[in-house]
Amino acid sequence: MIRRCPRSLRCFCSIPSPQNILFQCNKRIRELGQLGRIEEARQLLDTMPHTDTVSWNSMISSYVQNNCIQDAKLLFDAFEYKNVRTWTILLSGYAKAGFLGEAEGMFRAMPERNVVSWNAMLSGYVQNGDIRKARKLFEEMPERNVSSWNSLITGYSRGGLMKEARELFDRMRVRNCVSWMLMISGYVEIYEFGEAWGVFLMMMRSGMRPNQAILAVGLSATMGLNNLDLAKSLRTLAIKTSYEKDVVVGTAILNAYARNGKLESAIKFFEAMTVRNEYAWTTMIAAFSRFGRLDDAIALYELDTEKGVALRTTMITAYMDWARTDDAKSIFSELVDPNIITWNAMVSGYAQNGMLEEAYCIFLQMPIKNAASWAAMVAGFVQNGNDEEGLRLFSEIQKTRITPSHSSYASALSACAKIREVQMGKQIHSLIIKMRCQWNSYVANSLLYMYAKCQEMGDACQVLNAMRIKHADTWSSLMSGLSENQLLNEAHNTFDKMPIHDLVSWTIIISAHVQSGNEEIALQLFFDMLSTGVKPEACVVASLLTACGSMGVIKVGEQIHSLILKLGLSSCLSVCNALITMYFKCGSLCGLCVFEEMPERDIISWNAVLVGAAQNGLGREAIKIFKQMETAGYQPNEITFTGVLCACSHGELVDEGWAYFISMSQDHGIIPSIQHYTCMVDLLGRAGQLLEAEALITNMPVEADCVIWEVLLAASRIHQHIELSERVGERLFQIGTKNSGTYIVLSNVYASQGLWGKVAEIRELMRYRGVTREQGVSWIQIKNKLHRFLTGDKKHEDIEEICLALKEFCERFKASDYVPDVNFARHDVEEGEKENELLYHSEKLAVAYAVLRTPNGSPIHIMKNLRICIDCHSFMKFVSKATQREIIIRDRSRFHHIQDGSCSCNDYW
């Protein structure tokens, strides 16, 4: 039956030849389908004078392209003369729409199949993440072409299973550009940049000419390798293949320069580009921002007169990165129709600046949300410590049709790790397996970290063993979880197993040792890292400076300071703050110089110099610094006032201390904590105002702890207030203190009064409670080696020489009015032995060895774990005068700078 063409189509189908009419109509159906005008395409089909198989297949294909699967099936059922292409079209449609069961049914029902049909089913499995069925079908295929191989390689690559992808790739007899592209991009996706570059070179040796896309992904590999020479070689190749002026390749070259730290080269290349797309502009603006040149980023942004959505979005991100949220908001408000990427930039920008309310408000206003939107908001909550809310929001994603991104899974697992919600973590793990993304290295590393942090080491090992490819990030995730659980030995064993150590792994293990008090190991690891050629970043340098400060090894600290200057980190705020603290903790006033030379400062800088000055006996200087800080417009915080009160305490500035203590709440709205009350008790106790100090503890609004009573006990002993010592001691015994110093101090108070029965009671109480006396330890650094001395030490290799020097000093000083204060010897030894016992206190052994082994006139730095006794303090003053040396001693309480027979503490400590 011949149907007449409607008037609207007569001009279109006016060619006399029926064959030409049919050809033109079939072509028009395909065009209308591609434009989404599906009803017009169907109307054309229904009114065509003649139809053939191509007509019906074109219409079914148009339905499939526009996700009208039911209409496609109805037309498929109505078509009497179906061929293998008809079946394949609908099969592909089902697969693309996620109806894998229907696709399988179509495949089984096909009366005949060709390689295209098999490939369609294979692609369906790959697109829906069922790589196991895809591989089974692949092995069953009677015939394969290059598309068959590429489909299965695509499936493996998407799942990060590059070992399996490579095995297939190596078996291929014929490869095309897609094959090479899949392998190179697959390796780049899992950060195996070396493998990616190896495949690129293999392609070149095979004679295959790289196309635009392969050159771009090859440049991504060079960026991952951080190898600018390789990027330059690809630029040369792009010139030879006439691709350099291609805007996509050109932008990739530009990005390679920017990502490899060559900003000036990037600028020159950008200026020379004959054609620039929006991505080129956004790449350059992002590079300026990343390198701290925000003004240049703004200037470049202003040069673009069109300012498309992508460019504005990049500028919003740049402003957000520099915490200029108002400027970002201003650009956003100018956009009439922001796209989803712009909305996401606002959400993530507010979140990264800690403005969660603003981020969530934007998130709720979004007209459309995608996986990245949810990921940004979940990450925002988790990164800002609101882990429960982050997990709640993650669960909300499940109620939508959106599949969570890998980033969302990682953020949720991080939240579980931080709040030790291992059961929730296991539920998320199950979901990850269900969604077949457990092979993604980012997700797998997060799983590993979560289980390690929750001390579920069996599960952590299962995740580790299941990982096909273990990157440096994998080992680092495991190390982080272990070290944060104080499982340092296991973390170090993991570090030793790593095939290659990168900067992240070195940073984790060094920081873990510093935090665990293993400063010597941390320093040795740092020097090992330098010997491998790995350059440290600011965070690991700051961590090592903390270690130097804790150990008091100023020589090593000075070496690291020199390295900081070579690495260009001298303007880094966190590094400068760590330098200030390190110098002051080593008893060096170079901390003041570092502070004065800093290009910028924050409250941490001011607190570091203030506290450091106070601990080193510069009480009045510390108060001057506090006033300078207020003048500079910085608001003091709790740490600031701790430093100020400490300065007043060590400087006998009672009235000033009271004034600052009152000013905390009255002028600055800071409620004093137990630490501030302890400083005040110390201040009053040192000044002999013991009853006032006791009254302050009794009447303060916060609960007293052992430390504040121990401070009062030490003061009562110095001022020989026996009754108060007994009262405070009894209070401490009631609390159940385990501090051996409390028992020793009270024992010595009783012994000084000849109350030996009381002394025996305290000794018995110590044995009953399992309290052991903390032994005095002092240490010094000589020629990069740390020497430790215990009180009464007889094990040092040079102990005989040290003892001889001490005896000579003692005899010499006795002739100059030095009288050993035997009150600071143990009371359970014979009177004749007390003076001899005093001679072998750890700090005396240390100072004698320093005099013997260091150049004449050089300063001596001694660190001590306990408070220096009065006799040793007096002895050090005689040594400094006799040897013309400055002796710097850091004890548990403060620093003593002793020179020419006098101390910075003015004998007041």
Side-chain angles (χ1 to χ4, degrees), residues 122-312:
L122 181 65
S123 255
Y125 285 131
V126 167
Q127 288 166 5
N128 288 277
D130 199 333
I131 195 67
R132 184 181 59 81
K133 285 187 177 181
R135 183 59 185 258
K136 185 174 183 294
L137 187 71
F138 177 83
E139 299 297 344
E140 294 172 357
M141 289 178 72
E143 178 189 358
R144 304 183 191 117
N145 59 16
V146 69
S147 295
S148 314
W149 294 83
N150 287 345
S151 286
L152 193 54
I153 289 173
T154 299
Y156 282 130
S157 299
R158 284 179 180 172
L161 304 174
M162 291 308 296
K163 181 180 179 182
E164 289 80 356
R166 184 59 180 267
E167 177 264 327
L168 275 179
F169 180 78
D170 290 341
R171 284 171 52 193
M172 290 179 74
R173 293 181 180 180
V174 179
R175 302 176 181 125
N176 60 13
C177 281
V178 175
S179 314
W180 293 102
M181 179 68 184
L182 286 170
M183 289 304 300
I184 297 169
S185 61
Y187 278 125
V188 167
E189 186 68 25
I190 63 170
Y191 309 113
E192 288 285 344
F193 303 111
E195 291 290 340
W197 183 248
V199 174
F200 185 89
L201 293 178
M202 189 194 309
M203 180 196 70
M204 294 299 297
R205 286 193 290 268
S206 75
M208 175 69 71
R209 172 176 169 159
N211 60 18
Q212 176 197 62
I214 292 177
L215 275 172
V217 77
L219 285 160
S220 296
T222 66
M223 283 188 280
L225 292 169
N226 197 27
N227 192 323
L228 190 60
D229 290 335
L230 294 182
K232 287 178 178 177
S233 70
L234 281 189
R235 182 182 178 186
T236 303
L237 180 61
I239 293 171
K240 290 180 179 179
T241 53
S242 302
Y243 273 120
E244 190 196 23
K245 293 184 179 180
D246 179 273
V247 69
V248 173
V249 175
T251 305
I253 294 170
L254 173 66
N255 201 23
Y257 280 128
R259 293 284 180 180
N260 280 285
K262 300 297 180 182
L263 182 61
E264 294 305 320
S265 298
I267 294 169
K268 289 179 182 178
F269 188 83
F270 177 79
E271 291 173 345
M273 290 177 74
T274 54
V275 180
R276 301 171 187 153
N277 61 7
E278 197 167 36
Y279 184 58
W281 286 86
T282 59
T283 298
M284 203 64 244
I285 289 172
F288 276 131
S289 174
R290 189 166 59 252
F291 282 89
R293 292 170 59 170
L294 185 61
D295 290 340
D296 289 327
I298 296 169
L300 188 61
Y301 172 75
E302 295 297 337
L303 280 177
D304 193 318
T305 54
E306 295 183 6
K307 292 186 178 60
V309 176
L311 196 70
R312 292 175 188 267

Side-chain angles (χ1 to χ4, degrees), residues 21 95 185 189 262 294 388 404 591 625 739 789 853 868 908:
I21 292 174
S185 61
E189 186 68 25
K262 300 297 180 182
L294 185 61
E388 291 84 356
I625 291 168
N739 183 6
F789 298 91
R853 293 291 184 268
I868 188 172
Y908 179 81

Side-chain angles (χ1 to χ4, degrees), residues 822-887:
V822 295
N823 287 321
F824 291 90
R826 285 188 302 158
H827 292 279
D828 56 351
V829 298
E830 298 293 333
E831 287 296 324
E833 289 294 319
K834 288 185 178 181
E835 185 176 322
N836 191 51
E837 186 195 61
L838 280 176
L839 191 58
Y840 301 113
H841 278 192
S842 63
E843 54 266 61
K844 289 193 179 84
L845 295 170
V847 76
Y849 190 67
V851 171
L852 291 169
R853 293 291 184 268
T854 58
N856 290 334
S858 62
I860 297 171
H861 292 261
I862 300 173
M863 304 292 136
K864 182 174 170 60
N865 66 325
L866 302 176
R867 203 171 186 179
I868 188 172
C869 73
I870 291 176
D871 178 70
C872 287
H873 190 262
S874 177
F875 186 85
M876 294 297 170
K877 290 194 289 185
F878 277 96
V879 173
S880 72
K881 192 168 187 177
T883 61
Q884 290 298 294
R885 302 246 205 152
E886 181 184 9
I887 301 172

